[in-house]
Amino acid sequence: MPTLILVRHGRSTANTAGLLAGWTPGVALDERGAAQAAALPGRLKDLPLARIVTSPLQRCQETLAPLLAARPDVPVESDDRIGECDYGDWSGRKLAELTGEPLMEVVQQHPTAAAFPGGESMRQMQHRAAEAVREWNARVAREHGSDAVYLMCSHGDIIKSLVADALGLHLDLFQRISVEPCSITAIRYTRLRPFLVRLGDTGDFASLAPSEEPQGPDAPVGGGAGAP
């Protein structure tokens, strides 16, 4: 089975504004996110990508633009199933405001019971994304061979849920996983089991340094803004 390269979109205007973007239209990369996207072709230069699959949302499209310009021969397709979680009525709201919502504790501690008002449940989010990966694995293997490498550009919670799926980790524990903007996660699929071979690799260790802002125990819903 193929190797899947998962790229989270670059830092967005919603990340820096502390908003839960979801499927809100018009969420673009900020200046740092654009720089992260510009560096992506160089980071991936040694990988023979057979295909690129992307979330339809603007921040993913902008993240891929430099890579697609550098690799014009690589076929690219959009797949709604790897689009961001549908946060429903929470979309576009400030994360600071949502912290006090009773549902937020469920999102943090018991995600399998979390369903966003007017949106989808976290179980539905993981299911659709994992189904997409399985279908794309089969298609890429059929069209390009079992050793092929392909790329998906998606979102923080989607990628975390796919990592949990690959590790056989219960969704209730997926908040323990962290993937920063424009980070690279790689999963090598085989007939018997997947192997997680990279997780949230940005090549930048600035986010590991002590932060001026106190770091709480909660996971950043939607993925967070990464290093300053």
Side-chain angles (χ1 to χ4, degrees):
M1 299 294 286
T3 296
L4 170 60
I5 308 300
L6 289 160
V7 176
R8 185 183 167 201
H9 63 79
R11 195 174 75 177
S12 72
T13 53
N15 292 144
T16 45
L19 299 176
L20 188 61
W23 284 72
T24 304
V27 176
L29 299 184
D30 68 4
E31 186 175 352
R32 179 179 175 85
Q36 291 169 333
L40 198 56
R43 293 170 64 197
L44 297 173
K45 62 181 175 61
D46 295 327
L47 292 182
L49 297 176
R51 181 173 292 275
I52 293 172
V53 185
T54 181
S55 157
L57 295 174
Q58 178 179 338
R59 50 198 184 274
C60 287
Q61 306 278 346
E62 292 182 357
T63 298
L64 285 178
L67 180 62
L68 295 176
R71 307 271 193 110
D73 296 332
V74 179
V76 57
E77 291 190 45
S78 177
D79 191 329
D80 287 358
R81 294 174 298 175
I82 62 167
E84 180 63 285
C85 183
D86 183 356
Y87 299 115
D89 298 343
W90 279 24
S91 300
R93 293 182 59 186
K94 283 192 170 292
L95 287 163
E97 296 173 358
L98 295 170
T99 301
E101 295 276 358
L103 178 59
M104 182 59 87
E105 185 178 11
V106 182
V107 170
Q108 293 291 332
Q109 303 296 337
H110 190 19
T112 52
F116 296 98
E120 68 180 335
S121 71
M122 302 199 91
R123 294 191 317 278
Q124 290 170 321
M125 173 198 74
Q126 184 186 46
H127 177 74
R128 63 172 165 86
E131 283 297 302
V133 166
R134 282 163 174 74
E135 289 182 19
W136 278 107
N137 281 348
R139 178 175 170 182
V140 169
R142 185 171 62 250
E143 296 178 356
H144 303 280
S146 59
D147 293 329
V149 178
Y150 76 108
L151 181 148
M152 282 185 170
C153 185
S154 188
H155 307 266
D157 281 348
I158 295 288
I159 294 173
K160 287 164 55 178
S161 74
L162 290 172
V163 170
D165 176 75
L167 292 175
L169 190 69
H170 199 285
L171 185 62
D172 281 345
L173 301 178
F174 98 124
Q175 299 290 27
R176 301 182 182 196
I177 299 165
S178 175
V179 288
E180 292 194 8
C182 224
S183 63
I184 293 172
T185 294
I187 302 171
R188 180 172 295 123
Y189 290 88
T190 74
R191 186 173 64 85
L192 297 180
R193 64 184 59 84
F195 293 90
L196 179 66
V197 292
R198 292 288 189 280
L199 176 61
D201 188 343
T202 64
D204 179 0
F205 299 106
S207 63
L208 301 180
S211 173
E212 295 180 3
E213 297 291 329
Q215 301 296 300
D218 289 343
V221 181

